[in-house]
Amino acid sequence: MSGQNTPFRVKIPQTSSQRVYHSRRPHRKSREGCAKCKQRHVKCDETRPRCQKCEKLNLECTYEVILPPGCGKLVTTKQQNQQDPTQARLIAQFLERIPEVAPDAMAHTMAVRAIATQIDHLLQLKQGKFGDCLSNIDTLRHFQDTITPTIISKTGKEVMRGKMIRLAFQSPYLMHSIIAVSIAHLRQTLPAADSSSPKYTLLETYHWQHAIHQYSAELQSPLSPENMDALFSACLLMTVNSFAIDTYNPRASFVFSTNPAPSLNWLFVQSGLRHLLGRTAPWLRKSMWWEMFMDSRSTSFDNTREGREGLHPRLADLCGINEFSTMENNPYLWPLRMLSPLLKLEPSVKTFPRITTFMGRLLPDYYETLIRKDPPALVLLAWWLALMLGVDLWWVDTRARSECAAICIYLADSPDPLVLRLLEFPAQACGYILQRNAEVELDLGCGGWENSSSGFSLEFLALEEGG
């Protein structure tokens, strides 16, 4: 039909297979169904203790209604992961051992699952990764129960066990650090021939790599009262990581290295806390660590006066300190100012925070003398390591003993009788036997020092003010 625009209309017959929609009939949703039915997205008949579907398929049947609403779900913002109030309460109850029901009840079991899921979500761990090792919940509990008393004083322990772990649920790098420290301790407790040791080593390395990477990224952002406690906490745990070593090997020390600076990272890393404290000074009183910082602080650490007054006299002699010495013209004055009052302390977990503060407040000019391996610098470090050995902690002992022995070996042939005499205290502490020329006897002539067939004791080294 030329010239005409005739449309063709084809009527499609309605077949019986065409879907007919009806309005949905009201029905009761299974809001309190079992966990397995929810996972399978099927309606549960809610029969207790096992629903009919799980009974028919012989599946494990558990009910989640005992958990508070919202448990196990993570509420996120653009800035960071945050917990809702219900979730925060659940975590607090779990960590503080005050669950709403007994630990062997279903509520406790489901709380463990919810928290484990949240940790995996926070750390972006895939299900099954490192499945042969302990779960994150196990390592977290090990940190809380076993590790905290071996790291810090009683004041700091309570902060670690409660506030710091809850804070870690919002700071992935802190959670990585906590789990890594816990695994490090667990790995040390394994027998040497244990076949699972390499897996723990791999897992520990995995967490430290993520912790350090994320921690470094956080340091690039502005510091504030909101993130300072997480940074303080991670810095403290990274000190444990850098200080701890697996094997006693004095020959691996910086004193035998042609490039000693990298081998001194275990000492340098603690200075990071000093920089953090400086950058957050306006808000420090708001920190959860404030009380611990005050406990570890000594008025003698603020003593920057010139001269010899209050210093250990023979160490001052070795360091060339006289009445005109200042921190500007003598790099040994400041470390000896800090070390001298520490010699009066009985090393213990209680005094340990004050002893460790020494390494966090060392200045760059002293580091330079260590890198040059100057004998006075090495002797001061050896004396401090001897004090560290007196505390007997798992993450301290091998490093302190190894580095202390290395200094004794390195300086054992010194022609200076004062160096040899002053090595006796650290040598005794680390178990190294000095082959000192028996004819070399030096009259130290100062109060608090005596000859003893058994060597030095800490009481022996007590300093007389103004000696």
Side-chain angles (χ1 to χ4, degrees):
M1 296 169 53
S2 178
Q4 295 184 10
N5 194 5
T6 304
F8 290 89
R9 293 183 176 87
V10 179
K11 184 176 181 180
I12 301 176
Q14 191 176 35
T15 64
S16 58
S17 61
Q18 186 174 7
R19 188 171 182 178
V20 179
Y21 290 91
H22 300 282
S23 60
R24 189 176 184 184
R25 289 178 298 176
H27 67 284
R28 186 179 68 85
K29 292 184 178 181
S30 176
R31 299 186 183 277
E32 298 183 353
C34 73
K36 187 60 68 175
C37 285
K38 288 183 178 181
Q39 182 181 357
R40 296 173 59 228
H41 300 290
V42 297
K43 184 181 178 184
C44 180
D45 58 40
E46 301 176 18
T47 303
R48 307 295 179 104
R50 299 183 70 188
C51 74
Q52 294 180 13
K53 285 186 170 61
C54 289
E55 183 74 29
K56 181 178 180 180
L57 298 174
N58 196 26
L59 299 175
E60 179 185 3
C61 188
T62 57
Y63 285 86
E64 301 181 4
V65 296
I66 48 180
L67 281 179
C71 174
K73 298 177 182 179
L74 194 64
V75 181
T76 59
T77 65
K78 294 182 179 180
Q79 288 75 26
Q80 61 181 350
N81 291 332
Q82 294 179 341
Q83 302 152 12
D84 63 26
T86 301
Q87 202 169 40
R89 285 196 300 272
L90 179 63
I91 293 171
Q93 290 173 351
F94 178 78
L95 295 177
E96 295 170 12
R97 304 294 202 276
I98 50 171
E100 295 177 356
V101 291
D104 58 346
M106 186 62 69
H108 185 267
T109 301
M110 297 305 295
V112 170
R113 292 179 184 176
I115 294 174
T117 300
Q118 185 175 341
I119 295 175
D120 287 346
H121 184 105
L122 182 76
L123 303 183
Q124 298 182 352
L125 288 175
K126 295 181 180 179
Q127 292 293 329
K129 193 174 182 67
F130 306 109
D132 294 339
C133 296
L134 289 176
S135 69
N136 290 324
I137 284 290
D138 292 329
T139 53
L140 199 63
R141 271 287 170 78
H142 183 74
F143 179 88
Q144 186 187 38
D145 293 341
T146 307
I147 305 299
T148 51
T150 70
I151 292 181
I152 210 160
S153 65
K154 181 178 179 180
T155 302
K157 181 176 69 175
E158 296 308 313
V159 175
M160 275 190 166
R161 286 172 58 91
K163 295 179 181 179
M164 191 181 86
I165 294 180
R166 289 198 290 273
L167 185 62
F169 280 89
Q170 303 175 44
S171 308
Y173 61 89
L174 180 53
M175 184 64 78
H176 277 300
S177 301
I178 289 172
I179 294 176
V181 168
S182 186
I183 294 170
H185 181 264
L186 286 166
R187 186 170 52 80
Q188 286 206 0
T189 64
L190 293 174
D194 196 301
S195 60
S196 62
S197 182
K199 297 177 182 178
Y200 279 90
T201 301
L202 180 63
L203 181 57
E204 180 189 349
T205 302
Y206 170 86
H207 283 291
W208 278 128
Q209 286 177 343
H210 283 74
I212 294 170
H213 175 74
Q214 295 170 6
Y215 174 80
S216 300
E218 185 69 13
L219 286 176
Q220 303 305 312
S221 62
L223 268 65
S224 68
E226 285 69 38
N227 65 359
M228 65 176 180
D229 279 332
L231 289 169
F232 291 155
S233 302
C235 185
L236 290 169
L237 295 178
M238 288 178 187
T239 298
V240 174
N241 173 49
S242 61
F243 207 98
I245 55 174
D246 295 332
T247 307
Y248 172 81
N249 185 8
R251 291 291 174 179
S253 170
F254 75 98
V255 297
F256 296 112
S257 173
T258 56
N259 184 21
S263 301
L264 271 171
N265 282 339
W266 60 270
L267 184 64
F268 294 164
V269 71
Q270 182 64 11
S271 63
L273 181 60
R274 176 166 54 88
H275 293 296
L276 281 176
L277 292 173
R279 293 174 61 185
T280 58
W283 320 297
L284 274 182
R285 289 184 178 274
K286 300 179 181 179
S287 171
M288 67 185 189
W289 292 108
W290 172 253
E291 186 176 351
M292 193 211 74
F293 289 152
M294 291 299 99
D295 285 349
S296 63
R297 190 178 182 86
S298 171
T299 55
S300 59
F301 281 12
D302 295 324
N303 181 2
T304 59
R305 67 179 183 272
E306 63 184 36
R308 293 170 58 98
E309 183 181 355
L311 302 180
H312 189 285
R314 292 304 165 244
L315 287 174
D317 290 342
L318 178 66
C319 296
I321 297 173
N322 57 40
E323 58 182 319
F324 303 109
S325 296
T326 66
M327 291 175 57
E328 287 71 29
N329 62 29
N330 191 308
Y332 309 118
L333 178 60
W334 175 238
L336 186 51
R337 279 259 173 253
M338 291 192 292
L339 179 64
S340 293
L342 297 180
L343 299 176
K344 297 179 177 181
L345 301 177
E346 181 69 30
S348 66
V349 174
K350 182 177 181 180
T351 60
F352 186 63
R354 288 184 60 186
I355 297 173
T356 54
T357 300
F358 172 86
M359 65 174 167
R361 295 178 60 115
L362 294 172
L363 300 175
D365 55 353
Y366 176 68
Y367 288 142
E368 293 298 324
T369 64
L370 286 175
I371 292 172
R372 294 197 303 265
K373 306 171 190 177
D374 293 349
L378 297 179
V379 170
L380 292 180
L381 183 61
W383 276 52
W384 175 73
L385 289 168
L387 294 179
M388 293 282 280
L389 280 168
V391 184
D392 188 26
L393 293 176
W394 67 273
W395 60 277
V396 170
D397 189 77
T398 305
R399 167 75 70 183
R401 193 173 304 279
S402 189
E403 296 290 348
C404 190
I407 293 173
C408 292
I409 296 170
Y410 185 80
L411 295 177
D413 295 327
S414 173
D416 188 340
L418 182 56
V419 169
L420 297 177
R421 183 65 167 137
L422 291 174
L423 280 179
E424 291 187 15
F425 167 51
Q428 177 190 332
C430 69
Y432 180 77
I433 300 176
L434 286 170
Q435 301 298 323
R436 188 165 66 91
N437 188 337
E439 297 179 358
V440 176
E441 291 295 340
L442 180 66
D443 180 13
L444 295 175
C446 66
W449 287 71
E450 301 175 16
N451 292 321
S452 170
S453 58
S454 61
F456 294 101
S457 65
L458 288 178
E459 292 80 6
F460 218 29
L461 297 171
L463 171 67
E464 288 188 358
E465 293 292 338

